[in-house]
Amino acid sequence: MALSFKKKLLSLAFTGLAAAAVLPLTAQSSLAAELKLGLFADVSTLDPHFNNIAPNISLSSHLFDALVNVDATGKLIPGLAVSWKAIDPTTWEFKLRRGVKFHDGSDFTAEDVVFSLDRPATLTNSPGPFTSYTKQIVGKEIVDPYTVRLKTATPYGPLALDVSTIFIVSKKAAQNATTEDFNSGKALIGTGPFKFGNFERGDSIELVRNDSYWGGKADWDKVTFRILTSDGARLAALLAGEVDAIDSVPPADVPKLKTNPKFSLVQRTSWRTIFWTLDQSRDKTPDITDKSGKPLDKNPLKDIRVRQAISKAINRQALTERTLEGLGTPASNIVAPGILGYADKLKVEKYDPEGAKKLLAEAGYPNGFALTLHGPNNRYINDERVVQTVAQFLSRVGIQTKVETFPLSVYFGKARNGDFSVALLGWGTLAGDFGLRTLVGTTDAATGWGSWNWGKYSNPQVDKLVQSSLSSVDEKQRQDFAQQAATVALNDYAVIPLHHQYATWAVRKGLKYTPRIDEFTFAHQFHPQ
């Protein structure tokens, strides 16, 4: 009987199924192992160039590599390029890694790099384009199969950071492929640490280990990502042992998990800033009326006094302590402290409801007006509650405020279409000039500027300072220009920062993970202890 049981156990281990459920992680390390992760945010597509949102980028990082990768602290490190340098003010040379194979066994070469850098511009129906990272490249030269030179129209210092967001696909597999071909797995051929297994939209993604990965084998034969957007469902799956770790731990459950010996918590201040975008381009905006419901003749948000009043009405300290339950810190910038371009001179707006009322009266709204706030209900920490809390603050200063929230899959499309007057957005970046270019730069499809500028804010002075920052090869000059641009934009209330959120993972005992500033959950960076 003992021998029969041993044979059965070994059989289960080789299949990587039941053994993962009955053995502790430490015992799994020598057997076929499966890692199961519970994710808060839904993955909308497996096409790495279609929709520039964090959940998609995080998942793509398992299947693909970029020329330049980013470590857990936000530092740039070699990826498919082993080195890069500016050989003149407008030319960057990338030396490519030799011997890298795609999942189908074909060789990775410079041809794949050029194709991948060209592809985002061909996806004209993208809801979140990657073109802001590629538009500055005006020329691509293949020197040899393992050397690529990228040319820019003007000097451009941060090109390596730009291309860290563009994943390299197989030209052979993707040349005539549609986004649906990626979602089905047909064109999903990368060089990453895992290969495609299965994709059930809104439910789960299964990956299998790439044993030929140039960066070394992952510890897991198979990885299953379960999409668990409900906080309760995600926590229940962890407690029941259905997943080995979860991201975006529900704030209310952090204290209990900290004292539970079966789990450990890992945390890091995130690069993500949560802020309000405001419609500043249209003379009439859809969600603002007088208090009887009659549309106003003009858009109050075009008046800086109204934007400042909204900011002063928000008690950010109470918001982070109570609504976020301590998992955030009040923000004055659109990038987190320590990120290039963070302006120390900008201070968190003081909570001043009386000052807000005074500003509204000066702007011609002594009795306020009616406003609907919009936000997602399944993307950021307690996002729906954040919207509701801010609505309460605004109502106290005379702005009669309603709330509408949507699932992320619906919300982003509506916001980008201009359906909202005031919309909640979270953004993370490793450089302030990048964030400013994307979020408040004057929208220009030809250059990719303002691709996430929902409020259509435009300020030539900000644009000029951001361009000066991006054109600076000298790091100190770039920092100075980026700080100046941030100061001008935020003193103009281009957007209204709320808070920087914390990233928190809960991990089963016997498993370790290094928390990332970008909040990404990478299966290949989980390891048995």
Side-chain angles (χ1 to χ4, degrees):
M1 183 178 294
L3 181 60
S4 174
F5 175 76
K6 184 176 180 180
K7 288 181 178 179
K8 182 178 180 180
L9 183 59
L10 287 172
S11 174
L12 289 172
F14 282 120
T15 65
L17 297 174
V22 300
L23 293 176
L25 286 167
T26 51
Q28 290 181 40
S29 59
S30 61
L31 302 173
E34 179 179 358
L35 180 68
K36 296 181 180 180
L37 301 174
L39 301 183
F40 167 60
D42 197 1
V43 175
S44 66
T45 179
L46 301 186
D47 185 334
H49 302 144
F50 186 68
N51 193 4
N52 180 17
I53 57 175
N56 296 348
I57 294 171
S58 179
L59 194 282
S60 291
S61 299
H62 294 79
L63 298 161
F64 303 94
D65 290 296
L67 290 176
V68 179
N69 290 339
V70 178
D71 71 9
T73 68
K75 179 183 176 182
L76 298 181
I77 57 175
L80 290 178
V82 294
S83 65
W84 53 92
K85 64 179 180 179
I87 59 175
D88 64 48
T90 60
T91 306
W92 283 82
E93 182 176 88
F94 291 80
K95 291 290 186 180
L96 306 183
R97 194 176 296 276
R98 295 172 181 265
V100 175
K101 299 286 187 181
F102 282 103
H103 296 156
D104 61 0
S106 60
D107 291 328
F108 156 72
T109 70
E111 293 279 352
D112 303 297
V113 173
V114 171
F115 173 81
S116 299
L117 293 173
D118 285 338
R119 187 170 180 267
T122 69
L123 303 177
T124 55
N125 60 338
S126 167
F130 285 83
T131 48
S132 60
Y133 304 117
T134 59
K135 285 288 188 180
Q136 68 281 353
I137 303 172
V138 297
K140 307 172 187 72
E141 177 188 357
I142 297 177
V143 178
D144 61 51
Y146 297 100
T147 307
V148 174
R149 289 178 180 168
L150 304 179
K151 296 183 179 295
T152 57
T154 58
Y156 187 71
L159 186 65
L161 182 55
D162 264 357
V163 299
S164 72
T165 314
I166 304 298
F167 292 102
I168 307 303
V169 301
S170 163
K171 179 181 178 180
K172 182 179 72 172
Q175 195 160 21
N176 298 308
T178 64
T179 291
E180 192 50 46
D181 289 330
F182 280 89
N183 291 336
S184 69
K186 178 181 177 181
L188 210 61
I189 306 298
T191 61
F194 292 95
K195 300 179 181 180
F196 176 69
N198 187 53
F199 178 34
E200 297 292 337
R201 192 184 301 275
D203 180 71
S204 63
I205 302 109
E206 294 179 0
L207 307 178
V208 294
R209 184 171 61 195
N210 175 16
D211 289 336
S212 300
Y213 184 53
W214 61 265
K217 293 182 182 181
D219 288 319
W220 316 103
D221 296 322
K222 178 182 177 182
V223 175
T224 299
F225 296 96
R226 291 185 57 192
I227 308 302
L228 299 168
T229 57
S230 163
D231 286 349
R234 198 164 60 261
L235 181 67
L238 178 72
L239 296 176
E242 295 172 2
V243 295
D244 300 306
I246 61 172
D247 64 4
S248 300
V249 176
D253 297 303
V254 167
K256 291 181 289 186
L257 286 171
K258 280 184 176 179
T259 59
N260 190 326
K262 295 181 179 179
F263 305 99
S264 62
L265 289 180
V266 289
Q267 291 181 300
R268 190 183 200 114
T269 301
S270 164
W271 65 349
R272 187 178 307 281
T273 306
I274 309 298
F275 56 91
W276 291 108
T277 64
L278 307 98
D279 179 4
Q280 299 179 50
S281 66
R282 293 177 287 190
D283 292 329
K284 292 188 178 182
T285 189
D287 299 317
I288 297 182
T289 67
D290 66 17
K291 291 188 175 179
S292 67
K294 179 182 177 182
L296 298 180
D297 292 333
K298 60 181 180 180
N299 177 3
L301 301 176
K302 297 181 76 171
D303 191 320
I304 188 174
R305 293 169 295 185
V306 173
R307 301 195 299 272
Q308 186 177 13
I310 291 173
S311 185
K312 285 183 175 294
I314 300 170
N315 187 337
R316 291 166 177 79
Q317 195 63 41
L319 182 71
T320 54
E321 289 179 358
R322 300 171 194 169
T323 307
L324 295 181
E325 301 176 69
L327 295 182
T329 184
S332 61
N333 281 245
I334 62 168
V335 294
I339 298 293
L340 184 146
Y342 182 87
D344 291 312
K345 292 181 179 180
L346 290 168
K347 303 302 179 184
V348 174
E349 186 87 65
K350 182 180 178 181
Y351 176 51
D352 183 7
E354 292 306 314
K357 292 177 184 177
K358 182 178 179 181
L359 284 166
L360 289 172
E362 290 176 1
Y365 305 97
N367 299 315
F369 48 82
L371 166 68
T372 300
L373 294 179
H374 287 94
N377 54 27
N378 63 346
R379 178 65 188 98
Y380 313 120
I381 296 175
N382 288 356
D383 45 14
E384 186 169 30
R385 288 177 56 193
V386 167
V387 179
Q388 292 169 343
T389 300
V390 172
Q392 293 171 13
F393 289 140
L394 297 186
S395 294
R396 291 172 190 170
V397 301
I399 300 176
Q400 182 178 299
T401 310
K402 296 190 298 183
V403 166
E404 287 186 2
T405 61
F406 300 90
L408 186 68
S409 58
V410 176
Y411 175 72
F412 272 175
K414 286 180 171 290
R416 288 186 60 82
N417 288 338
D419 291 358
F420 308 140
S421 298
V422 182
L424 192 73
L425 179 60
W427 194 264
T429 180
L430 296 175
D433 47 12
F434 274 47
L436 291 166
R437 176 184 69 182
T438 303
L439 300 169
V440 302
T442 299
T443 303
D444 186 341
T447 63
W449 280 53
S451 57
W452 285 79
N453 184 351
W454 289 347
K456 297 296 184 286
Y457 172 81
S458 179
N459 185 327
Q461 185 183 5
V462 173
D463 291 345
K464 183 177 179 180
L465 288 167
V466 171
Q467 185 59 62
S468 295
S469 178
L470 294 170
S471 300
S472 301
V473 177
D474 181 87
E475 194 75 1
K476 184 179 184 305
Q477 284 186 348
R478 185 181 170 203
Q479 172 85 300
D480 290 344
F481 280 125
Q483 289 177 340
Q484 290 178 52
T487 300
V488 173
L490 291 168
N491 282 337
D492 198 24
Y493 296 90
V495 297
I496 297 178
L498 289 181
H499 57 271
H500 310 296
Q501 68 180 30
Y502 296 160
T504 307
W505 292 261
V507 181
R508 284 181 59 185
K509 184 178 180 181
L511 190 66
K512 60 182 179 180
Y513 186 65
T514 301
R516 297 181 57 87
I517 191 173
D518 53 24
E519 300 185 6
F520 293 161
T521 300
F522 286 172
H524 44 295
Q525 293 180 4
F526 280 85
H527 304 286
Q529 287 184 320

